[in-house]
Amino acid sequence: MMTVNSYEAALHATATLINAVPLLGGSQRREDYEQALEMVERLIDTDDENPLIDLLAKKIADYENTAPEFEAFNARIADLPRELAMLRVIMDQHGLNQSSFKEEIGARSLVSMILKGERKLTLEHMKSLAKRFGLPVSSFIDENE
């Protein structure tokens, strides 16, 4: 049973956290979004089991799904097969090019064919990409397939 003191402490801690990380409180400011991204990167590097990562990731995704600045990008991604969309998001977020996936996919020409839709990522490609970028393999797989 929660006591009045623990309830008050939880409310105070929540207010303090939202003050420190406004995106958690629903802020739609670009600066707060960027601050949250930086915090997630630091947490992943220093404390990758911290539950704050999941909270921030949800709010970051909400921001990216609704902010006007991402509207055109989201529209392009929505029309792509999931595996291709994930590969393009990874490239965009990490500033990578077709030559950046030699270990996970292979030659630049194969990556180019995948990006053009001429070839598909294999399960081994997906596993390698998931491992490198800390993602579940399922993030590359269409739910309808």
Side-chain angles (χ1 to χ4, degrees):
M1 177 176 224
M2 184 176 263
T3 65
V4 173
N5 287 343
S6 60
Y7 174 76
E8 293 296 327
L11 287 178
H12 178 71
T14 302
T16 301
L17 183 58
I18 290 171
N19 187 48
V21 188
L23 193 70
L24 287 173
S27 170
Q28 291 296 304
R29 292 181 11 169
R30 173 72 185 199
E31 299 82 17
D32 296 334
Y33 161 75
E34 289 174 0
Q35 176 202 28
L37 284 175
E38 287 179 34
M39 185 171 285
V40 166
E41 288 177 18
R42 285 186 183 173
L43 286 169
I44 289 172
D45 288 343
T46 61
D47 184 11
D48 63 356
E49 296 294 320
N50 192 308
L52 186 55
I53 294 171
D54 291 334
L55 294 172
L56 287 169
K58 166 105 175 69
K59 291 296 188 173
I60 288 167
D62 291 347
Y63 180 90
E64 290 174 346
N65 289 332
T66 60
E69 66 195 272
F70 291 105
E71 190 174 325
F73 178 79
N74 289 337
R76 280 194 324 269
I77 294 299
D79 292 337
L80 297 174
R82 188 160 183 173
E83 67 181 60
L84 187 53
M86 279 303 299
L87 186 57
R88 290 196 180 273
V89 167
I90 287 169
M91 292 175 73
D92 186 61
Q93 287 183 341
H94 296 276
L96 302 174
N97 60 35
Q98 294 175 6
S99 301
S100 303
F101 301 102
K102 186 169 178 63
E103 298 297 318
E104 296 80 19
I105 298 175
R108 183 179 186 271
S109 59
L110 178 56
V111 177
S112 177
M113 287 190 282
I114 290 168
L115 290 171
K116 290 178 187 174
E118 297 170 0
R119 298 278 301 267
K120 290 190 167 276
L121 288 173
T122 67
L123 183 56
E124 288 305 313
H125 295 152
M126 293 177 201
K127 286 179 181 178
S128 295
L129 289 165
K131 182 177 179 182
R132 176 177 174 186
F133 296 100
L135 301 167
V137 175
S138 61
S139 61
F140 292 92
I141 300 171
D142 277 320
E143 295 171 5
N144 300 329
E145 290 185 8

